[in-house]
């Protein structure tokens, strides 16, 4: 996604500056070229040599440093950048950027930036962050087209708890991908993805579920969003956070997921069903907790079939809509997946075997076979992110 992209990072004084070291490394691994500008106070928290080393480029600290590659770095660096990320952005940097103050290298570069998108990621104590003056400054920046990355909540270095933490490097990387990443070959397309494990209640305390973590669905949603699609993620129980930039619709049972998908189906261009949906649900849900009183040594629960969401979409599908399902099998992978492709009137089934190493629940990788009515493609062991892009490539070719 970020291969060959020019990423300019401005770091101001915050204890969270250390997270940018990891980001710089991730960017390098992604093939991006990164240049870093640091304020004087940023250098109190982390040494510029860290970024010299991780980016392979000399960190710029002072516009008047005669060793700078360019004598006017504050003009040339924003011109060079495909995206300018200000992270961590202190209250001071935000105040200066919002009010046109340009009294050092970084703030001068911010005011000189005119052609690249600017992401600003505030990081500070919760009370500083909630101070109305800070919020007014952020609002001013939003109005001027800056994208504000909402800080995370949690324990802060000063001991307080609240909003103000710099997001983790992986999340910042994702934001960069969204801004300047992939070819926007899904721009204008609406994509709905289901993910996670449905939960079928037996009583107010217990439910029937499965091992799905939602990683594959989350990866697909992230990949589609990065490629410019308008993504709706219909999420059952997920162990991973949904990606940024997608609309999340939370559902519990298979029936709730059915309703959520069918309500939105007509307007979608692509629907991908990565959720592990219960095939059966308890015939009745006990209104109170089921007690074990009496001496019975066993308990029988009667189950009834749930509605098949993929098959219902297959019935309703109009020309031009693309429907992709998943099949996880323990035996006869291809035969079973081909039968599902036909039975559910899907355009593609991504089949994976629970018996294959690197495939299955909770892993970050998958080994998929993509089946369409007239083709079969075996993908190698890939990360779920990579596999998602391969699926989207195939879908796009057939849309
Ligand atoms: N699926 C669905 N609704 C259901 C059950 C499954 O939409 N009630 C979807 C899944 O999201 C997946 C595909 O159908 O994309 C295949 O799911 P799977 O459980 O492998 O297939 P089943 O049709 O349930 O067949 P079986 O349980 O016999 O393997």
């Amino acid at each position: 996604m970020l291969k060959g992209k020019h990423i300019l990072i401005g770091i101001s004084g915050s204890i969270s500056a250390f997270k940018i070291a990891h980001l710089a490394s991730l960017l390098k691994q992604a093939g991006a070229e990164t240049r870093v500008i640091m304020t004087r106070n940023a250098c109190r928290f982390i040494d510029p040599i860290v970024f010299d080393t991780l980016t392979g480029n000399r960190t710029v600290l002072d516009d008047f440093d005669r060793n700078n590659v360019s004598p006017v770095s504050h003009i040339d660096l924003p011109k060079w950048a495909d995206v300018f990320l200000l992270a961590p952005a202190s209250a001071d940097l935000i105040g200066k950027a919002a009010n046109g103050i340009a009294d050092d290298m970084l703030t001068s570069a911010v005011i000189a930036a005119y052609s690249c998108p600017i992401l600003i990621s505030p990081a500070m104590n919760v009370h500083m962050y909630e101070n109305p003056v800070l919020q007014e400054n952020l609002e001013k920046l939003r109005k001027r087209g800056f994208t504000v990355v909402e800080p995370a909540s949690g324990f802060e270095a000063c001991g307080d708890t609240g909003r103000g933490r710099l997001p983790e490097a992986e999340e910042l990387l994702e934001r960069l991908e969204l801004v300047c990443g992939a070819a926007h070959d899904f721009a204008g397309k609406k994509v709905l993805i289901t993910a996670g494990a449905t939960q079928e209640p037996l009583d107010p305390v217990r439910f029937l579920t499965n091992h799905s973590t939602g990683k594959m669905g989350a990866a697909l949603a992230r990949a589609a969003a990065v490629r410019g699609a308008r993504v709706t993620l219909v999420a059952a129980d997920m162990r991973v956070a949904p990606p940024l930039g997608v609309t999340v619709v939370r559902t519990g049972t298979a029936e709730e997921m059915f309703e959520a998908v069918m309500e939105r189906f007509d307007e979608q261009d692509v629907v991908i069903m990565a959720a592990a949906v219960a095939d059966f649900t308890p015939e009745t849900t006990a209104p109170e907790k089921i007690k074990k009183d009496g001496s019975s040594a066993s308990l029988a629960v009667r189950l009834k079939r749930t509605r098949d969401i993929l098959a219902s979409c297959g019935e309703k599908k109009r020309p031009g809509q693309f429907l992709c399902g998943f099949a996880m099998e323990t035996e006869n992978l291809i035969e079973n997946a081909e039968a599902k492709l036909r039975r559910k009137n899907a355009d593609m089934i991504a089949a994976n075997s629970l018996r294959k190493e690197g495939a299955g629940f909770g892993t970050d990788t998958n080994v998929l076979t993509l089946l369409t009515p007239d083709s079969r493609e075996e993908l190698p062991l890939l990360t779920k992110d990579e596999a998602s892009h391969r699926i989207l490539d195939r879908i796009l070719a057939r849309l």
Side-chain angles (χ1 to χ4, degrees), residues 45-364:
F45 290 99
I46 186 163
D47 198 292
I49 291 173
V50 172
F51 299 105
D52 294 353
T53 312
L54 289 170
T55 66
N57 290 313
R58 199 181 173 118
T59 303
V60 182
L61 308 175
D62 177 5
D63 215 10
F64 301 103
D65 183 343
R66 298 190 60 211
N67 291 319
N68 285 348
V69 179
S70 154
V72 280
S73 296
H74 68 285
I75 310 285
D76 289 340
L77 282 175
K79 257 190 210 165
W80 165 89
D82 291 309
V83 59
F84 193 176
L85 170 69
L86 300 168
S90 64
D92 179 64
L93 175 64
I94 293 165
K96 284 176 176 166
N99 292 288
I101 296 170
D103 64 351
D104 65 2
M105 171 63 209
L106 181 56
T107 49
S108 303
V110 172
I111 208 164
Y114 69 97
S115 57
C116 62
I118 305 180
L119 290 181
I120 186 159
S121 187
M124 65 200 72
N125 166 272
V126 54
H127 303 300
M128 294 170 78
Y129 183 69
E130 287 175 355
N131 191 312
V133 75
L134 189 280
Q135 290 300 324
E136 279 164 27
N137 284 332
L138 282 178
E139 201 42 42
K140 277 190 194 171
L141 292 174
R142 277 193 195 95
K143 283 198 182 120
R144 265 190 249 141
F146 285 49
T147 300
V148 178
V149 180
E150 292 299 323
S153 288
F155 178 77
E156 295 180 337
C158 54
D160 285 339
T161 302
R163 223 142 60 101
R165 285 164 58 90
L166 187 73
E168 299 305 318
E170 288 79 3
E171 190 176 329
L172 293 172
L173 185 80
E174 225 173 287
R175 298 300 289 239
L176 290 171
E177 283 180 345
L178 276 175
V179 175
C180 75
H184 274 206
D185 50 5
F186 269 80
K189 302 251 182 298
K190 283 188 148 189
V191 177
L192 183 145
I193 293 160
T194 66
T198 54
Q199 297 180 334
E200 307 300 321
L202 282 162
D203 68 12
V205 182
R206 295 114 171 170
F207 52 80
L208 303 177
T209 190
N210 58 69
H211 290 298
S212 171
T213 58
K215 276 188 179 174
M216 191 68 229
L220 280 159
R222 181 165 40 248
V226 161
R227 294 168 72 154
R230 277 196 284 160
V231 180
T232 304
L233 180 68
V234 178
D237 183 50
M238 290 176 64
R239 305 285 149 76
V240 293
L244 299 160
V246 313
T247 304
V248 181
V249 180
R250 295 279 179 186
T251 56
T253 61
E255 185 59 23
E256 282 169 24
M257 183 171 269
F258 181 92
E259 298 291 341
V261 172
M262 297 321 282
E263 205 174 291
R264 295 165 177 82
F265 180 68
D266 288 343
E267 69 209 41
Q268 305 301 326
D269 298 295
V270 176
V271 172
I272 309 176
M273 304 279 201
V277 186
D279 291 327
F280 292 93
T281 188
E283 235 174 38
T284 54
T285 301
E288 306 298 337
K289 183 182 172 196
I290 299 169
K291 306 294 284 179
K292 58 182 173 306
D293 34 42
S295 54
S296 167
S298 64
L299 170 73
V301 178
R302 278 193 75 81
L303 303 175
K304 62 177 182 196
R305 281 287 291 273
T306 56
R307 291 196 276 181
D308 192 310
I309 311 169
L310 182 58
S312 303
C313 291
E315 279 171 25
K316 251 185 121 195
K317 194 174 62 169
R318 59 173 161 73
Q321 272 185 314
F322 194 98
L323 192 55
C324 173
F326 272 74
M328 179 181 273
E329 306 291 344
T330 54
E331 54 183 359
N332 305 330
L333 176 70
I334 301 301
E335 294 84 336
N336 283 333
E338 272 174 347
K340 279 175 196 173
L341 182 72
R342 281 193 303 276
R343 201 169 62 235
K344 304 193 186 205
N345 193 27
D347 299 294
M348 185 193 282
I349 291 282
N352 58 153
S353 165
L354 200 53
R355 304 268 182 251
K356 266 240 167 82
E357 194 158 328
F361 296 117
T363 56
D364 289 318

